[in-house]
């Protein structure tokens, strides 16, 4: 599967990735190639799934900095992206706060936020967020919404844990492989 997105560099205002610089880049989001490029320490800091009202439904932090640091990161992300939660959008919105990239995408009644830095810039985070959405849709029976996410919470946890390693590195980007790994079937 090849996803075409546009690279965003050096803009502090939220913009659609597809409009950022007008330069299109093809990103091959397939298993080993993506995983081998994403082995830096803590490229993904956290994944958040919220309602458009800001209620946190799912969160995974990968920096193990403790509850206070995680709460502070969530506060910074909320502050930087809150105005995007109510917007109707299905394309990636990008923010930059400090040394962290934040990619936001709305799906149905949810807002998904992926935060990363270092090797995971806006382009890489965008491709990773797309894979995360595909994984969540597979875990939730193809319809991702607040009700299906809450109803399939166990599957969601296992699936995201299979996709992203304990230090925030991309382990798998193939939805079928992630689904099989989550079911512990060969």
């Amino acid at each position: 599967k090849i996803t075409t997105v546009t690279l965003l560099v050096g803009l502090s205002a939220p913009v659609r990735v597809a409009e950022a610089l007008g330069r299109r880049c093809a990103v091959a989001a397939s298993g080993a190639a993506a995983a081998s490029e994403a082995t830096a320490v803590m490229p993904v800091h956290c994944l958040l799934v919220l309602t458009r009202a800001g209620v946190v439904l799912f969160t995974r932090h990968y920096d193990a900095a403790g509850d206070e640091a995680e709460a502070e990161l969530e506060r910074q992300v909320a502050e930087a992206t809150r105005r995007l939660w109510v917007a109707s959008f299905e394309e990636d919105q990008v923010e930059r706060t400090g040394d962290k990239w934040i990619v936001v995408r709305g799906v149905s009644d949810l807002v998904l936020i992926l935060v990363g830095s270092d090797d995971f810039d806006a382009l890489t985070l965008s491709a990773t967020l797309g894979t995360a959405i595909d994984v969540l849709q597979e875990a939730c029976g193809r319809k991702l919404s607040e009700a299906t996410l809450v109803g399939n919470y166990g599957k969601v946890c296992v699936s995201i844990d299979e996709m992203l390693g304990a230090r925030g590195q991309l382990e798998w980007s193939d939805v079928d492989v992630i689904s099989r790994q989550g079911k512990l079937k060969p």
Side-chain angles (χ1 to χ4, degrees):
K1 177 178 174 182
I2 296 192
T3 306
T4 302
V5 294
T6 303
L7 177 61
L8 171 69
V9 179
L11 298 177
S12 60
V15 294
R16 290 184 174 168
V17 172
E19 297 171 356
L21 295 177
R23 293 185 354 214
R24 298 223 174 246
C25 301
V27 177
S30 63
S36 67
E37 293 175 14
T39 56
V41 176
M42 226 181 341
V44 173
H45 293 275
C46 70
L47 170 67
L48 304 169
V49 180
L50 317 163
T51 66
R52 292 195 188 259
V55 176
V56 177
L57 299 175
F58 177 84
T59 181
R60 276 293 187 268
H61 289 269
Y62 299 100
D63 53 12
D67 292 341
E68 289 180 24
E70 290 174 359
E72 177 61 20
L73 178 60
E74 287 181 24
R75 187 195 62 72
Q76 289 173 354
V77 169
E79 187 177 297
T81 63
R82 187 171 312 273
R83 68 190 172 288
L84 302 174
W85 298 352
V86 294
S88 175
F89 61 90
E90 292 181 3
E91 294 181 9
D92 290 351
Q93 308 286 322
V94 178
E95 268 296 329
R96 176 105 178 172
T97 180
D99 66 337
K100 294 176 181 61
W101 289 101
I102 304 169
V103 178
V104 181
R105 188 185 307 173
V107 176
S108 179
D109 58 346
L110 302 175
V111 178
L112 289 92
I113 302 171
L114 194 62
V115 180
S117 61
D118 300 323
D119 291 342
F120 266 42
D121 60 7
L123 179 63
T124 310
L125 284 171
S126 177
T128 303
L129 184 58
T131 301
I133 290 169
D134 292 344
V135 166
L136 291 173
Q137 288 173 331
E138 179 73 21
C140 293
R142 289 284 170 215
K143 171 138 176 47
L144 184 56
S145 67
E146 179 179 356
T148 60
L149 187 123
V150 171
N152 293 289
Y153 194 79
K155 287 182 188 177
V156 166
C157 292
V158 170
S159 297
I160 292 298
D161 289 346
E162 288 297 326
M163 181 185 150
L164 292 169
R167 294 181 303 159
Q169 74 279 9
L170 183 63
E171 295 285 340
W172 300 99
S173 61
D174 185 307
V175 177
D176 293 330
V177 170
I178 295 167
S179 181
R180 281 195 311 270
Q181 294 284 43
K183 294 175 185 173
L184 299 176
K185 293 182 180 178

